Amino acid sequence: MAKELIVIESKKFLTAYTDDGIDPYIKQAKELVANFDYDLSTATSRAKIASLSSKVSKFKVKLDGVGKDLVAEWKVKAGLVDKSRKKMREELDELRDLARKPLTDWEDEQKEIERLNAEKLLAEQKQAQVDQDHELAIEQYKTHLREVSDKKIADELAEKLLLEQQEIDRIARDEEIKQQAAADAKAEVEAERLKAIDDKLKAELSATEAKVKAELLVEQAAKLKLEQDWLNYISEAYT
């Protein structure tokens, strides 16, 4: 049995690791393992199985090591390339910026002009809003003054009407009191007049009654005297 599973020439390693060139070698290794004829009943055959497995492992390690070496070499070259690329990008970026600087400066100036114009427009809009708010506040204040003035006039008119009504009510009360006083005085005079008449009538009635009583007494006395004289006459006549 060969010492190595598969022999690959050094010059073919680069090709093996590019353009999927490693696949044929893996396929070949699989075929060797698949076609391996073994007999587990003999120590020699079992040793060959172990040797085959070891060769597969060593083949893997060898291929991986070669790949690492290639990658390390590529990394060194890639680092040099990246360094050159970085330098190229930086210098060409500077050259690009330098070539565009006049236009960039002009664009920056235009942006600054636009910014200043925008700030000016915003300031004008704010001032216009302030002026509008100020005018609105003035109109609202004027409206408030008119409302206050109208309310003051209305209050003054209402107060005037109230005072006039109070004066009318006072005059009416005074007139009512005056009329009541006059009526009371008239009633008192009338009551006194009627009382005087009543007193006079009572006095006249008393005098008339006294006269009538006196006349009646005189008449009764005369009648009694006449009766007494008659009785005396009769008595004397029959004595």
Side-chain angles (χ1 to χ4, degrees):
M1 180 180 290
K3 293 182 179 180
E4 295 183 3
L5 182 67
I6 300 172
V7 178
I8 303 176
E9 297 179 5
S10 299
K11 62 181 180 180
K12 293 184 178 180
F13 278 120
L14 180 60
T15 305
Y17 273 103
T18 57
D19 301 328
D20 295 329
I22 200 68
D23 289 342
Y25 297 105
I26 295 175
K27 181 179 179 182
Q28 185 179 354
K30 289 180 178 179
E31 290 176 352
L32 289 173
V33 172
N35 296 327
F36 179 72
D37 187 14
Y38 59 88
D39 182 6
L40 296 175
S41 63
T42 65
T44 302
S45 180
R46 292 194 295 272
K48 288 181 179 180
I49 294 173
S51 176
L52 177 63
S53 175
S54 177
K55 288 178 180 180
V56 172
S57 180
K58 290 178 179 179
F59 182 64
K60 178 202 72 172
V61 172
K62 181 177 181 179
L63 287 179
D64 188 53
V66 171
K68 286 182 179 180
D69 293 340
L70 288 174
V71 170
E73 183 180 353
W74 291 343
K75 285 183 178 180
V76 172
K77 293 180 179 180
L80 295 175
V81 173
D82 289 340
K83 183 177 180 181
S84 297
R85 288 175 59 232
K86 182 176 181 296
K87 179 181 179 182
M88 174 270 298
R89 287 197 305 269
E90 291 175 351
E91 292 184 359
L92 290 182
D93 283 344
E94 291 179 359
L95 184 61
R96 175 203 61 197
D97 295 341
L98 180 62
R100 199 183 189 284
K101 189 176 185 304
L103 177 59
T104 302
D105 292 343
W106 180 85
E107 290 175 344
D108 291 341
E109 290 177 359
Q110 296 303 311
K111 289 180 181 179
E112 181 65 15
I113 292 173
E114 291 177 359
R115 185 186 67 79
L116 294 175
N117 289 336
E119 289 181 355
K120 180 180 178 182
L121 178 61
L122 180 60
E124 291 175 350
Q125 291 175 345
K126 288 183 178 180
Q127 185 60 44
Q129 185 64 45
V130 170
D131 294 341
Q132 183 178 355
D133 293 342
H134 181 65
E135 292 178 0
L136 179 61
I138 291 175
E139 290 300 323
Q140 290 176 344
Y141 183 67
K142 289 181 179 179
T143 302
H144 173 69
L145 290 179
R146 285 194 296 269
E147 291 175 351
V148 170
S149 177
D150 293 342
K151 185 176 184 301
K152 183 178 180 181
I153 293 173
D155 291 342
E156 290 177 352
L157 179 60
E159 184 178 2
K160 181 180 179 181
L161 293 175
L162 178 61
L163 292 175
E164 290 178 354
Q165 185 62 43
Q166 290 176 347
E167 181 64 16
I168 292 172
D169 294 341
R170 185 191 65 77
I171 293 173
R173 285 196 303 273
D174 292 346
E175 184 64 24
E176 183 179 357
I177 292 172
K178 186 185 294 184
Q179 291 178 0
Q180 185 64 41
D184 292 343
K186 183 178 180 180
E188 185 177 356
V189 171
E190 182 65 17
E192 291 178 355
R193 187 182 70 80
L194 292 175
K195 184 176 182 301
I197 293 173
D198 184 63
D199 291 343
K200 182 179 179 181
L201 290 175
K202 287 181 179 179
E204 291 177 353
L205 180 60
S206 297
T208 301
E209 289 178 351
K211 182 179 180 181
V212 170
K213 287 181 179 180
E215 291 177 352
L216 182 60
L217 289 174
V218 171
E219 184 180 352
Q220 289 178 350
K223 186 177 180 181
L224 288 174
K225 185 177 181 304
L226 181 60
E227 289 178 353
Q228 187 64 42
D229 289 344
W230 171 255
L231 290 174
N232 290 333
Y233 174 74
I234 294 297
S235 176
E236 289 177 358
Y238 287 96
T239 302

